[in-house]
Amino acid sequence: MGIAESTPDELPSDAEEQLRSGEQQLELSGRRLRRLPSAVCALSRLQKLYVSGSGLRELPEEIEELRELRILALDFNKLERLPDGLCRLPRLTRLYLGSNRLLALPADFAQLQSLRCLWIEGNFLRRFPRPLLRLVALQSLQMGDNRLRALPAELPRMTGLRGLWLYGNRFEEFPPALLRMGRLHILDLDRNRLGGFPDLHPLRALRVFSYDHNPVTGPPRVADTVFLVGEGAVERMAERDEPTPRPQPRRPARAFEDDEEEDLLIGGGGVLERAGGSLRALEATPGLGT
């Protein structure tokens, strides 16, 4: 028997029991909800809200009433747009929007100045959303499996960014702006259309670079401290006379919500998280996130 569909304005029957624990967390994932119940928006002390894979098609403007919200998971739904109210959540640090139907982000998205981790993979983005350029505290940006062909020249304004996942897009040339991202630790460009790379030594903080499934004949020039994933990577790293890190078992995507920067970066997905990847190496990379 399937899960009963809730009425539009009521909380599910088990919501009170969940909230009684005092954790201010509500799990609604897997419910059949075309719209978030308005009663949820009245939970002004809520800190974590999970509504993944619930068939959501829209969100109410009243979501802005969740002023204490830190984590919001809306992935695997049918959202085509986001309300401006979502952009007025002052304490939001993690937002999961992957596998929806988004074409763009609201202009007011730049108001989310506390945001540190954004997953927006598996949508229909053709252009890099310019409001993101103003999110200087953002550390982990997961934009895989979209339709991007270029990145804005202003990308280095995102001085807090440490992990950037751009796999499964439509890049034919290495975006020049990336060469000025000197604080980036993780860069994933798997499954694009790149035929070559510039010298990546300017990326002085880079620790992991993944370029697998591109029409290239060999690895790029990088510092010897960079872990490579792609054609010729094993041979190149063997030339450094150092052992190849052994991949560790993958952890669940939300196992790192209360951890520090290292787990925030690993939680960005890409090499570690996406299904069908050939390597899960990030956890084996020493010093990540320091």
Side-chain angles (χ1 to χ4, degrees):
M1 181 179 296
I3 299 174
E5 187 169 354
S6 301
T7 58
D9 297 317
E10 295 179 351
L11 285 175
S13 58
D14 65 337
E16 289 188 12
E17 182 178 350
Q18 290 189 49
L19 296 171
R20 198 173 296 131
S21 67
E23 292 185 8
Q24 296 304 321
Q25 172 177 318
L26 187 59
E27 175 63 81
L28 300 179
S29 297
R31 315 294 177 103
R32 292 163 54 190
L33 304 169
R34 292 176 60 90
R35 190 175 189 272
L36 188 68
S38 59
V40 172
C41 300
L43 301 172
S44 59
R45 294 190 297 168
L46 198 65
Q47 295 186 11
K48 301 177 183 180
L49 176 59
Y50 304 105
V51 201
S52 302
S54 298
L56 283 180
R57 296 180 180 272
E58 60 179 316
L59 296 170
E61 287 288 347
E62 292 79 9
I63 196 170
E64 69 178 288
E65 300 300 326
L66 299 176
R67 307 286 289 177
E68 297 296 321
L69 204 62
R70 269 71 164 175
I71 299 171
L72 177 58
L74 297 166
D75 44 337
F76 295 98
N77 282 297
K78 300 178 181 180
L79 298 172
E80 296 182 1
R81 60 173 296 275
L82 301 176
D84 290 338
L86 185 143
C87 305
R88 292 189 281 273
L89 298 174
R91 300 182 185 275
L92 194 66
T93 62
R94 297 170 188 252
L95 178 57
Y96 302 96
L97 293 168
S99 299
N100 276 285
R101 301 173 180 178
L102 299 173
L103 296 171
L105 297 178
D108 286 346
F109 201 86
Q111 295 182 25
L112 294 172
Q113 288 296 305
S114 295
L115 201 63
R116 296 174 65 208
C117 178
L118 174 62
W119 290 20
I120 195 169
E121 78 284 3
N123 280 280
F124 301 135
L125 300 176
R126 294 181 179 275
R127 295 183 178 180
F128 188 92
R130 297 195 68 83
L132 298 184
L133 297 174
R134 296 168 58 190
L135 298 180
V136 295
L138 193 67
Q139 295 181 16
S140 177
L141 178 56
Q142 161 59 283
M143 297 188 72
D145 287 328
N146 276 283
R147 302 179 181 184
L148 302 176
R149 296 179 181 271
L151 297 177
E154 302 93 332
L155 189 69
R157 292 180 185 175
M158 303 180 71
T159 55
L161 205 60
R162 299 295 183 267
L164 180 58
W165 286 264
L166 296 167
Y167 60 85
N169 277 282
R170 300 180 181 182
F171 296 106
E172 296 182 359
E173 297 181 354
F174 188 89
L178 289 176
L179 289 175
R180 294 184 288 124
M181 300 293 289
R183 299 180 180 181
L184 206 61
H185 291 180
I186 302 169
L187 178 59
D188 187 343
L189 284 165
D190 280 10
R191 291 192 287 111
N192 278 280
R193 304 171 183 176
L194 300 171
F197 301 102
D199 187 335
L200 300 186
H201 279 89
L203 300 180
R204 297 181 182 274
L206 194 64
R207 303 185 185 184
V208 178
F209 179 57
S210 183
Y211 59 93
D212 211 6
H213 304 101
N214 278 284
V216 295
T217 56
R221 289 175 289 172
V222 296
D224 287 347
T225 53
V226 178
F227 184 89
L228 295 169
V229 182
E231 180 70 27
V234 173
E235 292 79 6
R236 172 65 61 85
M237 289 187 290
E239 292 173 2
R240 304 173 185 168
D241 194 27
E242 64 184 38
T244 300
R246 182 176 180 179
Q248 299 294 315
R250 170 183 160 190
R251 288 190 290 175
R254 291 185 188 136
F256 354 95
E257 286 169 354
D258 299 315
D259 295 338
E260 299 299 326
E261 179 186 3
E262 175 176 353
D263 287 333
L264 185 72
L265 290 174
I266 293 173
V271 178
L272 176 70
E273 291 297 332
R274 68 179 179 277
S278 59
L279 186 61
R280 304 290 184 265
L282 298 190
E283 289 186 303
T285 307
L288 198 65
T290 58

